[in-house]
């Protein structure tokens, strides 16, 4: 996308916008923080264990739901199983930030959590990750990418048409999981809206990439495309799960997530 922008002349006011974004990064990386604000790195070891433990369960859930009218068609089942193996089971933990962050934030919001609760939040994390996979497949087609996660992108393996269908499969699998495990929650509609907002924001950014857009909008685009789809909805959905529904607090949380994502 950036290549498209920079292939044309850039007015001075637009360069100032881009430069201001770069200055923010430099200031953040160079400013020495007060010792009181120093903290050790966050490791997601427990989150990784939970997510990996859930894979067989969500695999069966989404395949069975997807093939409810095609139970006897082994060719379709093999396709789903192969798709899940390539896109989910072989996925390294460092490529699952939205899922791991979901569990980690729940642990911070609710100190007296149980193992059962963490497993359920892990399923919510997989709802987000399956949606991410769907968005990434389309993004790779849009960008004509060659590699993702250090391996060839999916559409170059199976073709564009099949990759588009597979991306839709992961999108509906995410919805199946959400309905099965969270439809009884008080704030289910709000959590569902967070997922819809996530994919709507990502799709809107793809529209911007199809055509040139005013460079005055570059900074806003940059902030949104980095905070969605991999961060904001994980935090806000967990807030609903622990009963935090104050619109003002959610607004603050989203603003903080977007600010953090600028430096991602």
């Amino acid at each position: 996308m950036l290549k498209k922008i920079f292939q044309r002349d850039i007015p001075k006011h637009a360069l100032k916008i881009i430069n201001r974004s770069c200055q923010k990064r430099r200031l953040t990386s160079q400013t020495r923080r007060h010792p009181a604000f120093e903290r050790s790195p966050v490791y997601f070891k427990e989150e990784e264990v939970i997510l990996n433990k859930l894979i067989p369960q969500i695999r069966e859930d989404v395949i069975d739901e997807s093939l409810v009218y095609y139970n006897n068609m082994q060719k379709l089942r093999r396709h789903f199983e192969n798709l899940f193996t390539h896109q989910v089971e072989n996925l390294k933990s460092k490529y699952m930030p939205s899922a791991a962050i979901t569990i980690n934030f729940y642990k911070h919001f609710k100190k007296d959590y149980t193992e059962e609760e963490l497993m359920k939040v892990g399923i919510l994390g997989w709802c987000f990750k399956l949606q991410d996979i769907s968005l990434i497949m389309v993004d790779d087609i849009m960008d004509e990418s060659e590699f993702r996660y250090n391996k060839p992108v999916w559409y170059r393996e199976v073709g564009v048409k099949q990759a588009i269908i597979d991306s839709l499969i992961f999108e509906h699998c995410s919805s199946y999981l959400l309905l099965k495990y969270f439809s009884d929650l008080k704030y289910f509609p709000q959590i569902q809206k967070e997922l819809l907002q996530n994919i709507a924001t990502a799709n809107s950014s793809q529209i911007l990439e199809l055509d040139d857009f005013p460079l005055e909008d570059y900074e806003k685009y940059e902030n949104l495309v980095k905070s969605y789809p991999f961060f904001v909805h994980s935090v806000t959905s967990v807030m609903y799960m622990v009963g935090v529904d104050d619109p003002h607090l959610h607004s603050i949380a989203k603003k903080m997530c977007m600010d953090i994502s600028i430096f991602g």
Side-chain angles (χ1 to χ4, degrees):
M1 186 277 297
L2 291 178
K3 183 168 64 176
K4 292 182 182 178
I5 293 176
F6 295 125
Q7 281 176 342
R8 52 203 170 99
D9 294 334
I10 303 175
K12 289 183 178 180
H13 68 280
L15 284 172
K16 288 181 180 179
I17 294 174
I18 298 172
N19 186 52
R20 187 161 63 248
S21 177
C22 294
Q23 285 177 342
K24 290 179 183 178
R25 291 188 180 87
R26 287 197 295 270
L27 285 171
T28 303
S29 61
Q30 294 174 5
T31 303
R32 187 177 181 84
R33 291 187 295 178
H34 190 279
F37 295 99
E38 292 290 343
R39 59 170 295 172
S40 58
V42 177
Y43 297 104
F44 295 122
K45 295 297 183 182
E46 184 180 12
E47 290 80 357
E48 292 173 16
V49 171
I50 292 171
L51 292 171
N52 288 327
K53 189 182 294 186
L54 285 167
I55 288 178
Q57 177 181 337
I58 65 169
R59 175 192 175 103
E60 291 306 310
D61 283 340
V62 298
I63 292 178
D64 289 344
E65 289 286 0
S66 299
L67 299 179
V68 65
Y69 294 114
Y70 299 97
N71 281 327
N72 298 323
M73 298 189 69
Q74 293 303 311
K75 180 180 179 180
L76 277 177
R77 178 166 288 274
R78 284 194 299 270
H79 175 78
F80 273 79
E81 291 174 347
N82 180 59
L83 180 63
F84 213 84
T85 298
H86 279 79
Q87 298 297 327
V88 176
E89 294 186 17
N90 293 334
L91 195 62
K92 294 182 179 179
S93 57
K94 64 180 179 180
Y95 300 131
M96 298 191 292
S98 59
I101 287 171
T102 304
I103 303 172
N104 187 265
F105 267 80
Y106 186 86
K107 289 159 61 177
H108 283 283
F109 276 111
K110 188 175 183 182
K111 300 297 184 181
D112 57 340
Y113 55 82
T114 65
E115 183 178 354
E116 183 180 356
E117 287 175 330
L118 289 186
M119 294 296 286
K120 187 165 185 176
V121 178
I123 295 174
L124 182 62
W126 272 117
C127 292
F128 298 151
K129 184 55 196 175
L130 294 182
Q131 190 184 69
D132 294 348
I133 294 173
S134 170
L135 294 170
I136 285 170
M137 283 184 173
V138 175
D139 187 63
D140 287 337
I141 295 172
M142 294 282 295
D143 294 342
E144 299 180 355
S145 302
E146 295 186 9
F147 295 95
R148 170 79 68 170
Y149 301 152
N150 297 319
K151 61 182 181 181
V153 295
W154 189 241
Y155 82 92
R156 292 185 181 272
E157 295 282 328
V158 300
V160 172
K161 292 181 180 179
Q162 184 63 62
I164 291 173
I165 294 173
D166 290 342
S167 74
L168 295 174
I169 287 173
F170 278 112
E171 184 180 341
H172 79 239
C173 286
S174 173
S175 297
Y176 274 142
L177 283 181
L178 192 71
L179 284 167
K180 179 173 182 176
Y181 291 99
F182 302 97
S183 59
D184 61 333
L185 294 184
K186 176 182 178 181
Y187 294 107
F188 171 74
Q190 287 84 350
I191 295 174
Q192 187 178 43
K193 184 178 179 180
E194 291 299 315
L195 262 79
L196 293 173
Q197 183 70 66
N198 176 50
I199 201 165
T201 305
N203 286 338
S204 297
S205 71
Q206 296 286 18
I207 294 173
L208 290 175
E209 292 191 26
L210 286 173
D211 197 7
D212 295 335
F213 61 91
L215 281 166
E216 292 85 351
D217 296 335
Y218 172 77
E219 189 169 24
K220 183 177 181 180
Y221 167 85
E222 182 191 37
N223 295 353
L224 286 173
V225 81
K226 288 186 175 181
S227 51
Y228 289 94
F230 304 114
F231 194 19
V232 175
H233 60 310
S234 297
V235 177
T236 53
S237 295
V238 166
M239 291 174 69
Y240 282 121
M241 284 197 71
V242 298
V244 179
D245 61 352
D246 187 326
H248 181 60
L249 293 179
H250 275 263
S251 177
I252 293 173
K254 287 185 177 182
K255 178 63 168 60
M256 289 179 64
C257 289
M258 290 181 185
D259 288 344
I260 292 171
S261 297
I262 294 174
F263 307 104

